[in-house]
Each structure stands twice: as structure tokens, then as C-alpha cells.
Amino acid sequence: MARGKREKEPKKRTLRRILKVILIIIIIAVLAVGGYVGYMYVTYDRIEDNMETEIDNPTTIKTNIPLDKKLQITSWNIGFAAYLQDYSFFMDGGKESRARSEESVIENMDNIAEALQDQDSDLYLIQEVDYDSTRTYKVDQRKILRDAFGGYSYTFAQNYNSSYILYPFNSPHGANKAGLVTLCDYKISTSIRRSLPIQTNIAKFMDLDRCYDIMRIPAEGGRDLVLINLHLSAYTTDPTIADKQLDMIYEEIAQERMKGNYVICGGDFNKDLIGDCGACFGVKGEEQSWCKPFKRENLPDGFSLIVPYDKKENIPSNRVADAPYDPKTTFCTTLDGFIVSDNVEVVKTGTVQYEFKYSDHNPVNMSFKLKSDIK
């Protein structure tokens, strides 16, 4: 055998081994990705619609919410108690996917509970409350809130129960359970979790399930205050989803108003409620494609959007978490507010300035009266 031919044989065998290893790696990678995608689809299941949620009414709870008396409601998306001022979130383009530590979650939840108590409100609508979640180290944030408001009626509607999200790879977001907590100084008679329309393609694994909680609180005079706690979609690729979600809520509240009931919807709408938040708060947000103006013209007859914004105070309710908060450079908006029926008199509304110390949202308040002189 010629010397040149003998030298080529080992090189060919080496090349075949390299190609074989590369092929095996590719096959393993394809199987791993395919297996994970299959796991996400197999384990995905929307939470039941029209589901009664458990209500905890203390024996000392007040009954029949009064008419013509000034009351106050507070709404706050607490951001699963992870968003400190220097926190940035991967879904917004930031770096972090979990709270810093279990100790950080507990400390921040204690601060949040104290801040809520400071509002001294009659009703509280709280969004993005975690329990048994990877991102918050299994801390039951519901219990912390429940313990802080032991004399209030309480209910919890689960927004989602996600499969294990492997991204980001260095610190996966994990499997998470979160939802809506409602606290009330008056007896809640019923509470129903309603599933909202969501995307049905692969985007559903990132924006997760969505719902609203509709509750009835008996009022003087035989009518009910129909209270809705909501948290609409944020990370959809289909901009019509939020409109469909609102259409569903609008249909329900219009029926309640026709029955003569009082209606208050509150929470995180994930829409620019002002219409041009960039101009109000000084940082333009053209690249924030999700922050679309709220379509007031679509509100049903007899309902108004209540925006907790005062030009003099100029306090936003939300910051974008693509980087640590900087009042000079961070895009801010007002996503949190209320929709009320015309038999609810709004006395005052505003945003509480916590400078995003505890969440990427500031709490919003609305004082109101239920009118007695109605048809």
C-alpha cells in the first residue's frame, strides 16, 4: 500500500468519528427540544371557567355595604414581590427571572402588606400574588396578605398554573402559580372565577392563563355591589386579545347594570389609560409596542373609565422593568385603574407614590359612594 494512502485512512476515520459525534449531539438536542415542547403541550391545561372560589368571611364581618357613604378601594399589582427598584425582568428585556431570595420575598411582602394597611381602604384588589412558585421560592404570599387583614373577607382566584418554563437557561422562570386576592371590609356573598380569552398558539406558554374574579357584596336597599378584580394580558403577540377580554367583561357588567346593581371593575388593564403616557411622564416609549391606548369608545353605555392620574402630582402607576428604575430614563405609564357604572359616584382617585420600591406598580386608590337616588 502506498504511503500516501496509508496516511489518509486514519484521517478519514477521525473525520467519521467527529461527524458521528456531531450527529449524536444534534439528535440529542432535537429530542430534548422536542421532548420539552411535548411536555409543555401535554401538561398545559386551562383552569376551569365559571369556578366558584372559596370565600373566607370572618364572623365579625360587616354586612350590607352602605349607600351614600364615602368608601375607598385600592388596587395594586404587587409583581409577585420580586420587583425592587433595581430589579429588571427578562420578559421586559431585563436580566432577572426570579425574586432574589426567599428572604427577599418575605421582607418585601411584609412591606407590601404594611403599605396596603396604610391606605386604610374598605376594599382591596391585588394582582400577581404567588404561592408554591419557583420564582418566589414557594412562599405563600396569600397567607401573608390574609394574616395582615384578618378582619376582612377574603377570596383568591387563581390566574394561572404554569408548567416549568426553562428560560432563561441560567435561572429558569420555573413552574408558577399566581392569582388575584380580594379583601373586603364587608361580607362577600359569591365569588366566581371567569376564564378570559387568550392566544391559542405557542404564545400561551409565556403570557399564561388569564381570568377575572367577579364578586357580589350585598348593599343596602337590596341591590349588590358587583366587584371585578382583573389582570389582563401583557405579552400577547395578537393585539386583539386584550380587546376580546374587555368585550367579555363589558357584556357581563352591562347585564349587571340592567339589573340595577352597582359595578366596579379594577385592576391591571395593561393598557395606556391616559392615552399618551410618554408625554405625561417625560420618557417616550415608541418601542413599547404592548402599551396601546385604552379604547374608551368601546365602553358600554352607563360606564366610565376612572384613571387615577393627577397632572399636578404626576405619579405613574407602572414602570417598564427592562432595567433598574431611574426616574430620568425609565418609561412609565398608568395601566391600573377602574371602570364604574353610573350609579357609583367617584369622589376622588389617585396613585400612591412609592417610587416602585416594592413592585413595578404603584397602588391606585378611588374613593366613591353608592348612590341611593337611582332608578
Side-chain angles (χ1 to χ4, degrees):
M1 185 182 291
R3 180 179 175 184
K5 191 173 183 180
R6 288 197 303 270
E7 290 177 347
K8 289 179 181 179
E9 286 300 324
K11 291 181 179 179
K12 288 182 179 179
R13 286 196 294 271
T14 300
L15 180 59
R16 283 197 294 268
R17 291 192 192 102
I18 293 172
L19 291 174
K20 185 177 180 179
V21 170
I22 292 173
L23 181 60
I24 291 172
I25 292 172
I26 291 173
I27 291 173
I28 291 173
V30 170
L31 289 174
V33 172
Y36 178 67
V37 171
Y39 154 77
M40 292 291 284
Y41 274 98
V42 169
T43 58
Y44 181 84
D45 186 27
R46 292 205 70 184
I47 299 170
E48 180 184 349
D49 188 19
N50 271 313
M51 182 173 63
E52 291 188 24
T53 65
E54 186 176 348
I55 304 168
D56 180 6
N57 282 313
T59 56
T60 56
I61 196 70
K62 292 180 281 188
T63 58
N64 294 335
I65 195 164
L67 306 183
D68 299 319
K69 178 183 177 180
K70 189 170 78 170
L71 303 167
Q72 180 167 280
I73 183 170
T74 295
S75 178
W76 196 3
N77 180 334
I78 63 171
F80 59 94
Y83 292 79
L84 305 176
Q85 276 187 328
D86 60 349
Y87 185 90
S88 65
F89 188 54
F90 78 105
M91 289 290 287
D92 284 351
K95 297 180 179 180
E96 299 172 85
S97 62
R98 303 181 180 185
R100 304 268 169 82
S101 67
E102 180 181 350
E103 293 73 22
S104 173
V105 173
I106 294 172
E107 179 182 0
N108 202 30
M109 277 305 303
D110 287 341
N111 289 330
I112 286 169
E114 184 177 348
L116 286 166
Q117 289 172 329
D118 288 344
Q119 305 314 307
D120 194 24
S121 292
D122 302 279
L123 306 101
Y124 293 91
L125 308 177
I126 309 166
Q127 302 88 40
E128 213 156 331
V129 182
D130 270 20
Y131 76 100
D132 195 24
S133 296
T134 304
R135 65 188 183 182
T136 43
Y137 307 92
K138 309 293 183 179
V139 174
D140 191 343
Q141 299 177 353
R142 303 171 305 175
K143 184 178 185 304
I144 295 173
L145 293 172
R146 187 75 196 99
D147 290 347
F149 290 88
Y152 281 59
S153 59
Y154 163 94
T155 188
F156 173 80
Q158 188 166 324
N159 217 13
Y160 55 79
N161 179 7
S162 75
S163 303
Y164 197 95
I165 298 173
L166 277 173
Y167 191 81
F169 301 120
N170 63 325
S171 179
H173 195 53
N176 302 295
K177 298 175 183 177
L180 315 172
V181 164
T182 302
L183 299 161
C184 181
D185 202 19
Y186 294 86
K187 183 179 180 180
I188 299 174
S189 60
T190 64
S191 174
I192 305 292
R193 180 199 184 277
R194 296 301 316 274
S195 296
L196 285 164
I198 60 169
Q199 287 184 256
T200 56
N201 58 18
I202 197 169
K204 67 186 179 183
F205 297 121
M206 298 308 291
D207 197 42
L208 308 176
D209 208 345
R210 294 286 170 174
C211 76
Y212 64 90
D213 191 11
I214 179 167
M215 293 149 284
R216 294 182 181 276
I217 303 168
E220 292 176 350
R223 295 182 173 89
D224 289 331
L225 167 60
V226 176
L227 182 66
I228 291 180
N229 190 351
L230 60 82
H231 185 186
L232 304 187
S233 291
Y235 299 109
T236 58
T237 56
D238 181 353
T240 67
I241 291 297
D243 293 335
K244 292 176 182 177
Q245 292 176 348
L246 283 170
D247 287 343
M248 177 180 173
I249 294 170
Y250 290 164
E251 183 177 354
E252 186 143 36
I253 63 176
Q255 292 175 1
E256 292 297 339
R257 181 62 187 93
M258 287 179 64
K259 296 174 186 177
N261 290 323
Y262 306 93
V263 180
I264 297 177
C265 305
D268 180 358
F269 289 86
N270 270 311
K271 290 288 185 184
D272 179 351
L273 301 187
I274 296 174
D276 188 1
C277 285
C280 291
F281 303 121
V283 178
K284 295 294 182 181
E286 290 85 354
E287 71 281 6
Q288 308 295 338
S289 59
W290 56 271
C291 189
K292 300 297 184 183
F294 184 95
K295 298 176 182 177
R296 294 172 183 252
E297 63 273 16
N298 291 347
L299 282 166
D301 292 341
F303 286 87
S304 301
L305 175 69
I306 306 302
V307 183
Y309 175 70
D310 184 294
K311 289 183 179 180
K312 294 180 180 178
E313 295 179 342
N314 203 38
I315 303 171
S317 81
N318 170 258
R319 73 168 176 98
V320 172
D322 56 350
Y325 174 62
D326 183 336
K328 295 181 180 179
T329 61
T330 299
F331 175 70
C332 292
T333 182
T334 292
L335 307 179
D336 309 88
F338 305 92
I339 293 172
V340 302
S341 53
D342 54 7
N343 50 4
V344 176
E345 176 188 348
V346 176
V347 179
K348 185 179 180 181
T349 186
T351 302
V352 185
Q353 180 61 286
Y354 281 119
E355 297 181 326
F356 308 111
K357 290 179 182 178
Y358 313 125
S359 170
D360 58 329
H361 291 250
N362 282 320
V364 298
N365 290 331
M366 180 182 74
S367 55
F368 66 95
K369 295 179 181 179
L370 304 183
K371 300 178 184 178
S372 60
D373 54 339
I374 58 172
K375 296 181 181 179

